[in-house]
Amino acid sequence: MTLQSHQHNDKKHARRPQLNREVAAQLASTEFARVADLLDRLTPDQWTTQTECPGWDVRAMAGHMLGMIQLLASLPELAGQQFTARRRIARNGGLLVDALTGLQVENNAALSTSELVDTVRTLSPKAARNRRRAPGIVRNHPLDDEEFGWWTYGYLFDVILTRDPFMHRIDISRAIGVPMTATAEHEGVIVNDVVAEWAQRHDRPFTLELTGPAGGRWIEGDGESLVLDPFEFCRILAGRAPGAGLLATRVPF
């Protein structure tokens, strides 16, 4: 483990995706389908359940998730959301991500839940396709994240834009009290990529065992030993729950 977190604080060492591009494309398509399936199963009461994200019930979170799909599916939508969010920041201050996600929730608030789910299903294939087709000149361009430093648009497209709905599926599943879908072929691949980045960021020896189909076992030298649920592991690294020791090392979602 030689790639340390401080190396991503400048454009030259902007973080790039570690996933194979075709694997990343399949993860994107499957994750969007998982989102639609989860939302489609919600009861009226579950839509109004509060999540761990302050101010967001399940319905608001779903509005944000759809908003990201809309942004990715259409260049005019992407430009419009970015313009409006930046104008709000200029007027009120704050972070771009907060302005953007708040706008997405507002824009989709008038949709019925069935309309929201239908739109997720309709636009998801185009959103995934646009991510996959981004040209190299775009993918290699550096982007300065407000919390984690520099990464490339390729990392954003292949990694973050799949981790974001994945984490929100965890949020919703916890809020409504249902088990998170857990397979080695999808959730396990996402978790493995999170583990790899986490290991690079703290760059210390460890033994990690994550239980269940989405988990696995990782050993890197003789260091701290951890055993926990893979989705709880991701929640801690995302800042949803406190983490001590090596679990205090954050990973972007």
Side-chain angles (χ1 to χ4, degrees), residues 26-158:
Q26 183 58 57
L27 290 175
S29 296
T30 301
E31 185 56 37
F32 284 150
R34 291 273 211 271
V35 168
D37 289 344
L38 174 61
L39 298 180
D40 207 17
R41 294 194 298 268
L42 295 175
T43 67
D45 287 344
Q46 289 172 335
W47 280 101
T48 61
T49 303
Q50 179 62 41
T51 72
E52 291 181 310
C53 295
W56 280 8
D57 60 10
V58 171
R59 176 64 181 78
M61 183 170 284
H64 152 61
M65 296 164 83
L66 172 57
M68 286 304 300
I69 291 169
Q70 291 166 325
L71 179 152
L72 293 164
S74 164
L75 281 176
E77 180 70 22
L78 184 154
Q81 286 194 30
Q82 290 277 354
F83 175 79
T84 303
R86 292 186 186 279
R87 189 170 58 182
R88 290 187 177 187
I89 292 173
R91 185 170 62 245
N92 303 319
L95 300 178
L96 177 60
V97 64
D98 294 332
L100 188 65
T101 57
L103 175 66
Q104 292 165 345
V105 173
E106 293 173 19
N107 286 348
N108 290 313
L111 294 176
S112 69
T113 54
S114 60
E115 288 172 335
L116 190 153
V117 175
D118 288 344
T119 309
V120 168
R121 290 198 188 279
T122 300
L123 294 182
S124 288
K126 188 172 184 180
R129 187 165 59 248
N130 285 347
R131 286 168 57 182
R132 184 176 68 249
R133 290 180 175 176
I137 192 171
V138 174
R139 291 177 57 84
N140 293 328
H141 191 76
L143 172 69
D144 190 8
D145 178 72
E146 293 159 316
E147 180 178 359
F148 289 96
W150 291 94
W151 58 41
T152 63
Y153 274 90
Y155 175 81
L156 174 68
F157 293 150
D158 289 357

Side-chain angles (χ1 to χ4, degrees), residues 96 194 204 218:
L96 177 60
V194 171
R204 291 165 57 189
W218 297 261

Side-chain angles (χ1 to χ4, degrees), residues 181-238:
T181 301
T183 68
E185 296 77 15
H186 180 68
E187 287 78 11
V189 177
I190 295 174
V191 170
N192 183 71
D193 185 57
V194 171
V195 172
E197 181 171 341
W198 168 75
Q200 289 176 340
R201 285 183 178 274
H202 65 65
D203 195 34
R204 291 165 57 189
F206 69 94
T207 297
L208 174 67
E209 181 178 349
L210 301 179
T211 58
R217 184 175 174 84
W218 297 261
I219 302 175
E220 188 69 42
D222 183 15
E224 185 175 339
S225 182
L226 302 163
V227 179
L228 66 165
D229 173 83
F231 305 123
E232 183 64 15
F233 172 78
C234 291
R235 288 183 64 250
I236 294 170
L237 269 52

